[in-house]
Amino acid sequence: MKNRILKNIVVLTFIGIYCSSCSNDFLDTKPLSFTTVENFYQTADDAESALIGCYSALNAQSVQGVWRGNFNSSMTFMLSAGTDELVTRDGLTAIGYAPFGNLAVTSQTPTIEEHFFTMFVGINRCNYLLDAIEDTEMGEQRKAEIMGEAHFLRGLYYMYLAQMYGGVPVYTTGEHDENALREPLDVVYAQIISDFETAYSNLPNRADIQGRANRWSAAGFLAKVYTYLASCKTNGVGADLGFELNSFDWVDADDFYTRARDITNGIIAQSGYELIDNYDYLFRETTNQFQMEESLFSSVSSSSSIIGNYHVWVQWMVPPGNTTTMGGGYGWFRPTGEMFYKYNALDMRRAHNLSNSFSASSTTETIEGDTYYVPDPANGVTAGFYSVAKYRYVDPSSKPIDISQSMGNYPLLRYADILLLNAEALYMTGDEAGARERLTEVRTRSVSDVSQVDILDDAYYKADFLEELLDERSREFAFESQRRIDLIRFGKFYDAIMGLDENGGRWNVAVPIMQANLEPYKIWFPIPLTEIELSPIEQNPGY
């Protein structure tokens, strides 16, 4: 395969608000993980602009000419599709999309290369900012906060890389060895934990700019890291592969679950975040102000037509239908039939997360003064219109940006997650009663009458608490980039997919394809072939 023309990352003196596509391009044959930044900033304004570039890698439509390798669109299906929640729509062959729902991803799948590159762009922007900030003339308090935000974002980018690929090269300065090898997971996670701890120590309880990271963002992701590592160790994730780079043997599960319990207890007691009343408002395009009451950290979109940091929900995240008149989508990925039956009929999350498409008979509703079309309800799973409905576009006639894109923020860490992480940690440290109370707390918002929560508790009860927890996480976080990682860390990825019924719903026609492609090594994505060709690092087993 010919070496791809890559582009080094060049942060200009003034990046401009959320403009991440500014670059000086030249031929380069360095690995995807080797990206460099020329830093010219010396003033406080320069540092603030550079920090915007660090955030921008989360969801910019294009990062240095590489498209959508982040939460703009790709990461949403990379982390949700090919599970017991979401499959590729029958007949879809798009090479950048379909393989993820069919478990047919290879080292040459374009989205893999785009994602790997984009995450390292974010890391290296953070590194260059941290290299330069000490000599920048600005107030010490704000300097410490910028450093905290850069550490937080670097930890976040590395966390996603580690969860998706395993060990990766670890760079903590802008100037680094292009031939650096992959580090084992203990080294990678030591850096991730250090970054989140530094952020926790330096960030305020709330950022001055809405949507920026704060100390509770860092605390929450620390808890996610600890529960991830502890559960992977407890469930022997990847042990059968014999691949030392991605081994969890070094993890002290008891210690990490204790840390997760204590951190989440602190967030619950002190952070001020809460479950908002309307679950729907977490995923509407125009209700970001409500989402911020529950979301400890989101990938933030824009309502400006000239900025360009949006989320693209049209491909699969909104109900299918006429995009121009109703805000419908394409339905490239579809829910499994099993997803529908995971909900009790009293659970209002089912009607929000799953629907049929928009149709000529669809009505409208008004949400905080904005008009939304209402998709037809899903009363079963056999109809061809059975769809994901979690996210909703506002009436296209009122949008200031392209109708295919979303002004809505994409939540990456919600208070509901803190409660369920706390439940997991409580259970694993010996408090099952307290853990079950947390499940009830999350479910209470899901019923029209609080007295009905007892019915949900009874309907959802499983003697194995962790099985019940995993189901509850699926109900609450359906299609929120959580399911793939949850199934893997609980050691359920293989069994969940093999347990799907090809006759269980209209789109379960894809199930035999998934099952035929399923292999134990697919708990990891492949390192991009370009990276292997241009550097000495080794591939994940099986690819």
Side-chain angles (χ1 to χ4, degrees):
M1 175 180 173
K2 293 182 179 180
N3 291 341
R4 180 184 171 190
I5 296 177
L6 300 179
K7 302 172 183 178
N8 278 15
I9 313 308
V10 180
V11 174
L12 304 180
T13 303
F14 295 102
I15 296 175
I17 302 299
Y18 285 97
C19 178
S20 65
S21 59
C22 303
S23 63
N24 291 343
D25 302 340
F26 52 92
L27 294 182
D28 188 11
T29 56
K30 289 184 171 57
L32 302 175
S33 59
F34 184 81
T35 56
T36 61
V37 181
E38 304 247 352
N39 93 69
F40 301 108
Y41 44 89
Q42 295 179 336
T43 69
D45 286 344
D46 296 342
E48 297 287 358
S49 294
L51 180 61
I52 290 170
C54 296
Y55 277 98
S56 189
L58 278 173
N59 70 341
Q61 181 169 273
S62 173
V63 177
Q64 305 304 134
V66 173
W67 282 72
R68 298 176 179 173
N70 49 31
F71 283 108
N72 174 275
S73 63
S74 294
M75 287 182 71
T76 61
F77 60 81
M78 292 177 76
L79 292 171
S80 293
T83 68
D84 58 351
E85 288 186 356
L86 194 70
V87 297
T88 297
R89 187 194 71 200
D90 184 20
L92 181 70
T93 59
I95 191 172
Y97 297 84
F100 291 92
N102 292 331
L103 296 180
V105 173
T106 74
S107 62
Q108 298 182 69
T109 301
T111 304
I112 290 291
E113 182 176 316
E114 293 158 4
H115 174 257
F116 203 83
F117 178 83
T118 300
M119 292 295 99
F120 274 102
V121 168
I123 287 165
N124 284 287
R125 287 180 178 182
C126 293
N127 284 340
Y128 273 91
L129 175 56
L130 289 169
D131 286 349
I133 191 71
E134 288 291 354
D135 297 326
T136 302
E137 297 181 1
M138 62 187 309
E140 290 304 312
Q141 179 176 339
R142 182 56 188 149
K143 180 183 292 187
E145 290 174 357
I146 289 178
M147 291 176 66
E149 290 179 80
H151 277 284
F152 171 82
L153 290 167
R154 185 172 69 185
L156 191 68
Y157 293 130
Y158 265 124
M159 184 195 79
Y160 283 118
L161 281 168
Q163 289 180 345
M164 298 167 78
Y165 302 93
V168 291
V170 174
Y171 307 133
T172 57
T173 63
E175 300 296 333
H176 50 258
D177 181 6
E178 67 181 272
N179 294 313
L181 300 176
R182 295 173 67 183
E183 297 286 358
L185 284 179
D186 60 330
V187 175
V188 181
Y189 275 101
Q191 184 59 53
I192 293 167
I193 291 169
S194 175
D195 277 333
F196 285 147
E197 287 179 338
T198 299
Y200 179 78
S201 298
N202 285 278
L203 294 177
N205 290 332
R206 293 292 188 277
D208 290 337
I209 299 175
Q210 192 178 62
R212 294 283 184 88
N214 59 51
R215 74 191 309 253
W216 303 116
S217 313
F221 277 107
L222 266 176
K224 284 189 76 70
V225 166
Y226 287 139
T227 52
Y228 171 81
L229 292 173
S231 57
C232 285
K233 173 63 176 296
T234 300
N235 296 300
V237 172
D240 57 331
L241 301 178
F243 189 59
E244 285 300 312
L245 271 177
N246 293 349
S247 171
F248 294 96
D249 286 348
W250 55 277
V251 174
D252 184 335
D254 291 339
D255 177 46
F256 282 1
Y257 267 130
T258 299
R259 294 190 199 187
R261 179 199 63 197
D262 294 346
I263 291 170
T264 50
N265 279 342
I267 296 171
I268 292 166
Q270 302 172 39
S271 72
Y273 286 98
E274 61 184 0
L275 299 177
I276 65 172
D277 292 337
N278 292 311
Y279 181 77
D280 292 7
Y281 282 24
L282 293 165
F283 315 105
R284 302 280 181 168
E285 189 176 14
T286 60
T287 54
N288 292 333
Q289 72 274 23
F290 294 95
Q291 184 195 99
M292 291 295 182
E293 298 173 20
E294 178 169 335
S295 181
L296 283 70
F297 190 69
S298 296
S299 175
V300 177
S301 196
S302 170
S303 59
S304 169
S305 60
I306 63 172
I307 290 177
N309 272 57
Y310 311 115
H311 298 107
V312 180
W313 295 351
V314 72
Q315 294 153 346
W316 68 273
M317 298 167 68
V318 296
N322 192 303
T323 303
T324 303
T325 60
M326 294 182 173
Y330 308 151
W332 286 352
F333 295 98
R334 297 296 180 107
T336 61
E338 284 83 357
M339 196 65 211
F340 184 86
Y341 295 110
K342 197 174 289 183
Y343 294 96
N344 182 276
L346 292 176
D347 193 330
M348 296 189 295
R349 292 174 296 187
R350 184 172 77 179
H352 180 80
N353 294 337
L354 302 165
S355 75
N356 282 356
S357 63
F358 295 110
S359 71
S361 61
S362 293
T363 60
T364 61
E365 61 181 345
T366 301
I367 304 293
E368 301 298 320
D370 293 301
T371 300
Y372 287 82
Y373 281 87
V374 180
D376 296 342
N379 297 315
V381 300
T382 59
F385 298 122
Y386 173 58
S387 307
V388 173
K390 188 157 201 170
Y391 305 87
R392 307 287 175 86
Y393 280 161
V394 72
D395 180 352
S397 66
S398 65
K399 290 181 70 164
I401 64 173
D402 189 284
I403 58 175
S404 69
Q405 298 171 329
S406 173
M407 303 175 290
N409 296 342
Y410 186 75
L412 300 183
L413 179 62
R414 297 198 278 114
Y415 185 68
D417 202 356
I418 300 302
L419 293 175
L420 294 184
L421 293 172
N422 184 250
E424 180 182 344
L426 287 173
Y427 177 78
M428 295 302 293
T429 55
D431 184 3
E432 181 173 350
R436 290 191 178 278
E437 288 176 6
R438 291 300 187 205
L439 299 190
T440 300
E441 190 172 349
V442 171
R443 291 167 182 160
T444 299
R445 158 172 76 182
S446 304
V447 291
S448 58
D449 187 320
V450 69
S451 65
Q452 296 173 331
V453 74
D454 291 338
I455 301 175
L456 287 192
D457 282 343
D458 289 342
Y460 293 154
Y461 176 83
K462 290 189 174 181
D464 184 331
F465 175 80
L466 292 179
E467 287 188 12
E468 184 177 342
L469 173 70
L470 190 55
D471 281 349
E472 191 60 34
R473 290 187 62 83
S474 183
R475 296 183 195 103
E476 178 69 21
F477 305 121
F479 320 123
E480 287 186 58
S481 302
Q482 299 262 18
R483 190 58 174 174
R484 175 181 167 86
I485 300 303
D486 276 346
L487 287 175
I488 290 170
R489 71 185 184 92
F490 280 102
K492 301 292 187 181
F493 186 64
Y494 189 91
D495 290 345
I497 293 168
M498 293 306 295
L500 294 172
D501 180 1
E502 66 177 292
N503 299 309
R506 167 62 182 89
W507 304 109
N508 285 38
V509 66
V511 164
I513 302 173
M514 294 171 63
Q515 293 173 337
N517 289 330
L518 180 61
E519 297 288 349
Y521 68 81
K522 292 192 175 181
I523 60 172
W524 305 110
F525 285 125
I527 303 297
L529 181 60
T530 305
E531 182 78 355
I532 301 297
E533 290 181 337
L534 299 179
S535 65
I537 68 175
E538 57 186 311
Q539 181 59 274
N540 281 328
Y543 294 102

